[in-house]
Amino acid sequence: FGCEVFAYPMASIEWRKDGLDVQLPGDDPHISVQFRGGPQRFEVTGWLQIQAVRPSDEGIYRCLARNALGQVEAPASLTVLT
């Protein structure tokens, strides 16, 4: 999943799953999270990558962007077909 945020002041991005307050990737070795700034001013992009997807990965993932002025989130659904 990818998440792009334009905000001033610059925002931070967190990933969550199924409404839980546990920030990903947590201790799960097959989930990785990456971030980078730019290329536009005040832009940050975050990615959540799941390697070797399995049925237990199915759910609603949320990108949560936050700065000193507030927060906003965007959901994405993952369905695993077997």
Side-chain angles (χ1 to χ4, degrees):
F1 293 107
C3 185
E4 237 178 41
V5 179
F6 293 88
Y8 180 83
M10 190 83 132
S12 64
I13 294 176
E14 298 174 7
W15 290 94
R16 310 285 172 105
K17 181 185 176 202
D18 290 332
L20 301 175
D21 281 334
V22 177
Q23 187 174 342
L24 296 173
D27 61 357
D28 195 330
H30 84 292
I31 295 179
S32 62
V33 173
Q34 300 173 9
F35 305 97
R36 78 168 174 84
Q40 302 296 320
R41 192 169 182 195
F42 308 119
E43 177 184 7
V44 63
T45 302
W47 296 271
L48 181 129
Q49 181 179 12
I50 304 171
Q51 298 177 13
V53 173
R54 52 192 181 214
S56 62
D57 295 320
E58 194 166 280
I60 304 296
Y61 290 80
R62 294 179 297 136
C63 171
L64 176 69
R66 178 181 310 179
N67 69 10
L69 300 177
Q71 69 181 35
V72 65
E73 62 182 63
S77 177
L78 175 64
T79 302
V80 179
L81 304 176
T82 56

